[in-house]
């Protein structure tokens, strides 16, 4: 056996396997794990040039995998204005204007101004915003603002003009334009109505800004122990990524994370075939993980597809769809037959059920293939579907921070929309595990921060930022820290089909691991929020040290 290049010793090595916690250490040979064993076993592999580090009782885990994010949108948003917490349309517009004055020198004269995070439902007067408030501050510069869920947009008159949008534009079944009394466009863009404006705002973002933001976010990921991500490129039927830029930076060694990405399911299958041929190496830094599509929107704006009527407005159409379901069936059958991973956005329980039906139909028609089938988000799900997902092996790709997008349970809007009975089944993590569902954790960055400590805390405590409810919201759905860490490591690797290479600490696997500053199992759930990463190893190299 060859000598180790690095050895990390600890009395707490969380393998993520049936071995559980090991007291000893991890030996690396280049970018592979050579052995996980007792201190004597791994030290026996050390040679004269081996980097040996005694981490005491600090916890060692596999690298974390954020299984659902929008990478380029997220990292560039870190340098842009967030309007979170604004209480009115005017406050939001004024805050954006104030921010822009402080950052004006960062923008070219004709450059689009993007911003994030408005939530009109949380305003004192909860109605969609208009272009006029933005026009007062930005008469000549195009402005586009994504809402806090990325399911609505707000723009000014200049943006509408540049995109050729006027009163004559028609709504689609998958998104509608806000309108004023005279029929003119208001500047609010619901669901896919924002696609044209969003595509211009994103597509004209200077590439030097994209590159700089990607380099910076790589360091941020390493500081959190994130060594792999899955990027969802489709949003509103447009591509919000830049594969060529990511590939260049990965080849330069500028990015310290493995990049998995999914493209639009409605694109021709030849595109997916070409990308799979180009990015097929499961041991590499870039990997094509298949396709993604939306079945519905979100519940709080009544664009979630529900099994039963909305509680707060029984007359609203409970079957809101983001795509034609006959086309979805045809595409899923085709992609699953060819072994592509498929990821379906489903927030309402009706959307989840329909996705499970579509997946089951494909499996019965084609038989099992290499295709990993996942449901993304699963805010709501019906108990009748948990066992079905487990039996079919459907991956539940969830985002624990979505439990607490507001400060307290009293501020939560879900219960009013769907009623207390169905609210008992929101983010049903424990039930998913108990029914044998594979699971993966993510953040939906930039919907929420990429910080994985929040996800771990929410999964095990289920408390809002105010610390309540003390027993947790739907406490029967809490999971253990051991399960949460496994889902954040192995679960992400499994979802994209890379579990033979990643996700656990085992001999032969790629050397992506995290040394935490303390043993996370000694901390309270609140203590997890302040846990620090001591160092991060990516591809066998130390890429971050505290």
């Amino acid at each position: 056996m060859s000598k180790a290049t690095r050895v990390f010793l600890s009395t707490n090595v969380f393998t993520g396997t049936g071995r559980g916690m090991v007291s000893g250490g991890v030996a690396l040979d280049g970018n592979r794990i050579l052995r996980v064993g007792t201190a004597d076993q791994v030290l026996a592999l050390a040679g004269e040039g081996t980097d040996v580090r005694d981490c005491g009782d600090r916890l060692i885990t596999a690298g974390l995998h954020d299984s659902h994010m929008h990478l380029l949108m997220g990292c560039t948003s870190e340098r842009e204005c967030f309007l979170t917490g604004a209480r009115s349309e005017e406050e939001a517009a004024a805050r954006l204007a104030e921010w822009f004055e402080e950052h004006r020198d960062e923008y070219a004269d004709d450059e689009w101004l993007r911003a994030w995070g408005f939530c009109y439902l949380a305003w004192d007067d909860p109605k969609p915003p208009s272009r006029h408030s933005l026009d007062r501050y930005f008469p000549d510069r195009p402005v586009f603002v994504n809402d806090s869920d990325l399911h609505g947009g707000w723009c000014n008159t200049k943006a509408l003009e540049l995109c050729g949008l006027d009163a004559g534009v028609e709504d689609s079944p998958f998104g509608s334009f806000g309108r004023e009394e005279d029929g003119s466009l208001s500047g609010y863009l619901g669901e896919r109505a924002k696609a044209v404006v969003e595509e211009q705002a994103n597509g004209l973002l200077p590439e030097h800004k994209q590159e700089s933001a990607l380099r910076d976010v790589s360091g941020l990921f390493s500081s959190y122990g994130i060594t792999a991500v899955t990027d969802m490129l489709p949003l509103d039927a447009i591509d919000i990524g830049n594969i060529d830029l990511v590939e260049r930076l990965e080849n330069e060694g500028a990015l310290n994370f493995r990049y998995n990405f999914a493209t639009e399911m409605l694109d021709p299958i030849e595109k997916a075939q070409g990308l799979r041929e180009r990015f097929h190496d499961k041991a590499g830094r870039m990997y094509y993980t298949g396709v993604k599509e939306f079945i519905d929107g979100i519940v709080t704006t009544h664009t979630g597809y529900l099994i039963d009527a909305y509680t707060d407005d029984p007359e609203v159409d409970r079957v809101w769809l983001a795509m034609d379901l006959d086309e979805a069936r045809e595409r899923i059958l085709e992609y699953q037959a060819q072994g592509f991973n498929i990821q379906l956005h489903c927030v309402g329980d009706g959307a989840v059920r329909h996705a499970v039906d579509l997946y089951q139909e494909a499996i019965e028609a084609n038989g099992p293939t290499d295709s990993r089938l996942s449901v993304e988000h699963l805010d709501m799900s019906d108990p009748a579907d948990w066992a079905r997902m487990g039996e079919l092996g459907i991956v539940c790709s969830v985002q624990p921070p979505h439990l607490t997008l507001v400060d307290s349970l009293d501020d939560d809007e879900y219960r009013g929309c769907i009623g207390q009975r169905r609210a008992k089944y929101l983010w049903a993590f424990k039930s998913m595990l108990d029914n044998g569902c594979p699971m993966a954790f993510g953040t939906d960055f930039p919907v929420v921060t990429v910080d994985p400590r929040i996800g771990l805390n929410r999964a095990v405590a289920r408390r809002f930022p105010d610390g309540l409810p003390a027993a947790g919201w739907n406490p029967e759905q809490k999971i253990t820290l051991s399960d949460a860490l496994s889902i954040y490591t192995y679960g992400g690797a499994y979802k994209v089909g890379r579990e033979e290479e990643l996700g656990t600490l085992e001999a032969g696997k790629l050397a992506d691991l995290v040394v935490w500053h303390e043993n996370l199992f000694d901390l309270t759930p609140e203590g997890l929020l302040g846990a620090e990463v001591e160092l991060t190893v990516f591809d066998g190299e130390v890429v971050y040290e505290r």
Side-chain angles (χ1 to χ4, degrees), residues 69-97:
M69 67 161 56
H70 307 285
L71 176 63
L72 192 60
M73 180 178 281
C75 68
T76 52
S77 75
E78 292 282 290
R79 300 175 174 198
E80 295 172 328
C81 181
F82 273 79
L83 302 174
T84 310
R87 299 297 304 181
S88 69
E89 175 181 347
E90 176 56 32
E91 180 186 345
R95 275 177 50 181
L96 179 56

Side-chain angles (χ1 to χ4, degrees), residues 67-68 151 232 292-299 304-307 342-357 359 373-390 393-403 414 418 422-433 435 437-442 444 462 473-474 477 487 495:
S67 295
H68 186 117
H151 283 263
M232 302 296 176
K292 186 246 185 174
E293 192 48 78
F294 289 75
I295 296 295
D296 68 347
I298 57 175
V299 168
Y305 171 8
L306 303 190
I307 295 172
I342 307 172
Q343 294 140 117
L344 295 177
H345 166 114
C346 302
V347 169
D349 55 4
V352 173
R353 176 164 295 175
H354 209 97
V356 175
D357 290 343
Y359 283 155
L373 308 173
S374 70
V375 179
E376 305 294 318
H377 305 308
L378 284 134
D379 292 15
M380 289 181 68
S381 56
D382 189 271
D385 295 313
W386 297 335
R388 295 178 64 206
M389 290 191 289
I394 295 171
V395 179
C396 297
S397 176
V398 298
Q399 296 77 47
H402 286 192
L403 269 162
Y414 255 99
I418 63 175
R422 288 181 290 185
K424 293 292 290 181
Y425 308 132
L426 291 172
W427 296 285
F429 304 152
K430 183 65 163 58
S431 293
M432 293 171 191
L433 281 180
N435 281 276
C437 300
M439 293 183 69
F441 278 169
D444 208 9
R462 297 180 69 93
W473 187 19
N474 298 344
Q477 296 297 345
I487 295 168
K495 176 189 166 183

Side-chain angles (χ1 to χ4, degrees), residues 87 122 401-416 427 458 462-470 472-473:
R87 299 297 304 181
H402 286 192
L403 269 162
T404 57
L405 292 176
V406 291
D407 290 336
S408 71
L409 183 59
D410 290 341
D411 297 330
D412 179 74
E413 299 157 354
Y414 255 99
R415 291 172 301 162
W427 296 285
R458 301 303 191 254
R462 297 180 69 93
R463 297 190 191 110
F464 284 79
D466 65 0
L468 299 173
W473 187 19

Side-chain angles (χ1 to χ4, degrees), residues 9-247:
L9 300 173
S10 174
T11 56
N12 295 298
V13 179
F14 181 79
T15 64
T17 71
R19 297 178 67 184
M21 194 79 80
V22 169
S23 177
V26 183
L28 311 183
D29 180 11
N31 74 334
R32 294 281 177 176
I33 296 174
L34 189 58
R35 183 159 191 176
V36 179
T38 66
D40 288 343
Q41 288 171 335
V42 295
L43 285 173
L45 300 174
E48 184 177 340
T50 302
D51 178 9
V52 178
R53 305 195 187 198
D54 188 346
C55 302
D57 62 356
R58 291 171 176 160
L59 183 67
I60 301 179
T61 69
L64 303 184
H65 187 144
D66 189 312
S67 295
H68 186 117
M69 67 161 56
H70 307 285
L71 176 63
L72 192 60
M73 180 178 281
C75 68
T76 52
S77 75
E78 292 282 290
R79 300 175 174 198
E80 295 172 328
C81 181
F82 273 79
L83 302 174
T84 310
R87 299 297 304 181
S88 69
E89 175 181 347
E90 176 56 32
E91 180 186 345
R95 275 177 50 181
L96 179 56
E98 182 180 358
W99 182 93
F100 180 70
E101 283 304 311
E102 296 174 359
H103 297 268
R104 182 184 292 270
D105 61 348
E106 300 170 15
Y107 287 80
D109 290 343
D110 58 350
E111 187 175 336
W112 280 71
L113 174 62
R114 302 188 313 172
W116 311 85
F118 80 93
C119 179
Y120 74 83
L121 292 171
W123 290 347
D124 295 332
D125 182 12
K127 65 181 182 182
S130 79
R131 56 191 165 89
H132 302 297
S133 53
L134 292 175
D135 288 347
R136 285 196 293 274
Y137 296 102
F138 304 101
D140 302 314
R141 181 180 297 274
V143 177
F144 173 71
V145 189
N146 252 307
D147 74 7
S148 57
D149 292 298
L150 306 184
H151 283 263
W154 175 23
C155 68
N156 65 349
T157 300
K158 185 68 173 180
L160 292 173
E161 291 173 350
L162 288 175
C163 294
L165 297 173
D166 57 29
V169 67
E170 295 182 0
D171 294 341
S172 82
F174 314 123
S176 58
F177 293 90
R179 296 182 188 271
E180 300 182 342
E181 290 185 3
D182 63 0
S184 61
L185 298 185
S186 70
Y188 179 72
L189 313 162
E191 295 288 346
R192 289 194 176 177
K194 67 187 176 85
V196 174
V197 182
E198 186 172 31
E199 189 168 31
Q200 285 240 32
N202 294 342
L204 295 175
L205 182 67
E207 184 154 307
H208 73 271
K209 287 191 173 182
Q210 299 178 37
E211 178 174 343
S212 178
L214 278 167
R215 289 178 182 273
D216 283 353
V217 87
S218 179
L220 179 67
F221 289 174
S222 296
S223 73
Y224 285 140
I226 297 169
T227 57
V229 305
T230 297
D231 188 12
M232 302 296 176
L233 298 186
L235 184 69
D236 302 317
I238 62 174
D239 184 332
I240 58 172
N242 189 334
I243 296 171
D244 292 337
L245 175 59
V246 173
E247 183 180 26

Side-chain angles (χ1 to χ4, degrees), residues 216-518:
D216 283 353
V217 87
S218 179
L220 179 67
F221 289 174
S222 296
S223 73
Y224 285 140
I226 297 169
T227 57
V229 305
T230 297
D231 188 12
M232 302 296 176
L233 298 186
L235 184 69
D236 302 317
I238 62 174
D239 184 332
I240 58 172
N242 189 334
I243 296 171
D244 292 337
L245 175 59
V246 173
E247 183 180 26
R248 175 167 68 80
L249 295 180
E250 287 282 21
N251 289 340
E252 292 175 6
L255 303 182
N256 297 323
F257 57 89
R258 300 189 192 279
Y259 180 74
N260 309 283
F261 65 100
T263 55
E264 172 68 65
M265 190 174 79
L266 298 182
D267 286 340
I269 197 167
E270 289 79 13
K271 176 179 177 179
Q273 291 166 338
L275 288 169
R276 179 162 65 180
E277 183 176 347
R278 180 176 167 190
F279 301 108
H280 65 274
D281 183 5
K282 293 186 178 183
R285 296 189 174 209
M286 290 187 71
Y287 183 70
Y288 179 60
T289 186
V291 295
K292 186 246 185 174
E293 192 48 78
F294 289 75
I295 296 295
D296 68 347
I298 57 175
V299 168
T300 51
T301 58
H302 295 158
T303 57
Y305 171 8
L306 303 190
I307 295 172
D308 297 316
Y310 278 89
T311 299
D312 62 337
D313 188 354
E315 300 303 314
V316 74
D317 187 359
R318 65 175 179 80
V319 186
W320 191 95
L321 296 170
M323 71 172 300
D324 180 82
L325 291 183
D326 289 334
E327 185 171 17
R329 176 177 292 104
E330 178 183 333
R331 295 303 184 98
I332 288 168
L333 284 166
E334 185 177 25
Y335 280 105
Q336 190 268 347
Q338 296 197 29
F340 286 100
N341 297 336
I342 307 172
Q343 294 140 117
L344 295 177
H345 166 114
C346 302
V347 169
D349 55 4
V352 173
R353 176 164 295 175
H354 209 97
V356 175
D357 290 343
L358 291 171
Y359 283 155
Q360 182 171 356
E361 183 179 339
I363 292 169
E364 290 174 351
N366 300 323
T369 68
D370 291 336
S371 180
R372 292 278 160 83
L373 308 173
S374 70
V375 179
E376 305 294 318
H377 305 308
L378 284 134
D379 292 15
M380 289 181 68
S381 56
D382 189 271
D385 295 313
W386 297 335
R388 295 178 64 206
M389 290 191 289
E391 291 165 2
L392 294 168
I394 295 171
V395 179
C396 297
S397 176
V398 298
Q399 296 77 47
H402 286 192
L403 269 162
T404 57
L405 292 176
V406 291
D407 290 336
S408 71
L409 183 59
D410 290 341
D411 297 330
D412 179 74
E413 299 157 354
Y414 255 99
R415 291 172 301 162
C417 290
I418 63 175
Q420 189 58 41
R421 178 187 64 82
R422 288 181 290 185
K424 293 292 290 181
Y425 308 132
L426 291 172
W427 296 285
F429 304 152
K430 183 65 163 58
S431 293
M432 293 171 191
L433 281 180
D434 288 347
N435 281 276
C437 300
M439 293 183 69
F441 278 169
T443 57
D444 208 9
F445 180 57
V447 172
V448 297
T449 173
V450 78
D451 185 347
R453 300 172 299 180
I454 299 173
L456 293 172
N457 168 269
R458 301 303 191 254
V460 303
R462 297 180 69 93
R463 297 190 191 110
F464 284 79
D466 65 0
L468 299 173
W473 187 19
N474 298 344
E476 67 278 7
Q477 296 297 345
K478 293 179 185 178
I479 64 174
T480 66
L481 179 57
S482 179
D483 283 336
L485 283 171
S486 292
I487 295 168
Y488 231 133
T489 51
Y490 177 82
Y494 179 85
K495 176 189 166 183
V496 297
R498 302 182 74 178
E499 72 276 9
E500 295 300 318
E501 296 282 359
L502 298 163
T504 56
L505 298 180
E506 297 179 82
K509 287 198 171 183
L510 290 166
D512 297 352
L513 58 88
V514 184
V515 179
W516 298 83
H517 184 60
E518 52 266 295

